[in-house]
Amino acid sequence: MKQIAAAIFGIVAMAGAADAKTLVAYYSRSGNTAAVADIIKNSTGADIFEIKTADENHYPAEYRATTEVAKNEINSATFPAIASTPDMTEYDTVFIGTPCWWGTMAGPVHTFLSQVDMSGKTVIPFNTHGGSGAGSVHSDIEKLTPNATHKTGIAIWGNDASDAGDAINKWLTEIGIK
């Protein structure tokens, strides 16, 4: 009887693993983070979700003006509303992508993580940057997802984003995704 129960438990566990899904959720202002998100999606077969501000003109078109808006958001801990969130119940692994602004995640990603439940999920951060590396992006994402399991993230130089496939695939192998 114990052998039958163990076999049934094993089959149920394998069926659950087969149903497991991965999501790449990201915010991108310039297209760099979107390029990395696409590489991850194509390398893993994940679903993809672009985090968008509710007001599509929330950030100015000019880069420096955007950095000032972002700086004010971070300093005041007031982040923009976002257009929507996906149904997170079907995902067990979630990549979270963002540009690094003033050493942390972009405001829309902060809003997203404040609105979704990542409990019990595996969260994997990635970011693009213009020279700051990861800053505190990855640790800040961990702070907003305390009931998740966390894997080591990656920071990609923005100018290299569309050509970062080799580095991203190496990272995915190192963290056990590929």
Side-chain angles (χ1 to χ4, degrees), residues 25-155:
Y26 72 95
Y27 173 78
S28 186
R29 179 189 173 277
S30 66
N32 293 334
T33 307
V36 174
D38 283 339
I39 293 169
I40 295 169
K41 173 195 173 290
N42 293 334
S43 295
T44 63
D47 292 343
I48 197 160
F49 177 81
E50 182 179 4
I51 301 166
K52 297 179 182 181
T53 56
D55 173 3
E56 63 185 41
N57 297 314
H58 178 76
Y59 294 109
E62 200 272 319
Y63 176 75
R64 289 284 176 213
T66 293
T67 66
E68 288 305 311
V69 171
K71 183 178 181 181
N72 291 336
E73 289 173 350
I74 292 164
N75 289 338
S76 67
T78 305
F79 303 104
I82 58 174
S84 65
T85 59
D87 177 2
M88 299 300 291
T89 59
E90 62 186 285
Y91 300 105
D92 67 335
T93 300
V94 183
F95 288 87
I96 302 293
T98 179
C100 183
W101 287 355
W102 296 101
T104 190
M105 72 191 87
V109 177
H110 191 285
T111 302
F112 175 82
L113 291 173
S114 298
Q115 292 182 359
V116 297
D117 183 9
M118 294 290 189
S119 299
K121 300 183 186 315
T122 298
V123 173
I124 310 168
F126 66 95
N127 72 281
T128 55
H129 64 90
S132 62
S136 65
V137 169
H138 302 174
S139 60
D140 290 344
I141 288 172
E142 286 185 24
K143 288 175 190 170
L144 287 174
T145 57
N147 298 316
T149 300
H150 301 96
K151 289 197 177 259
T152 302
I154 191 170

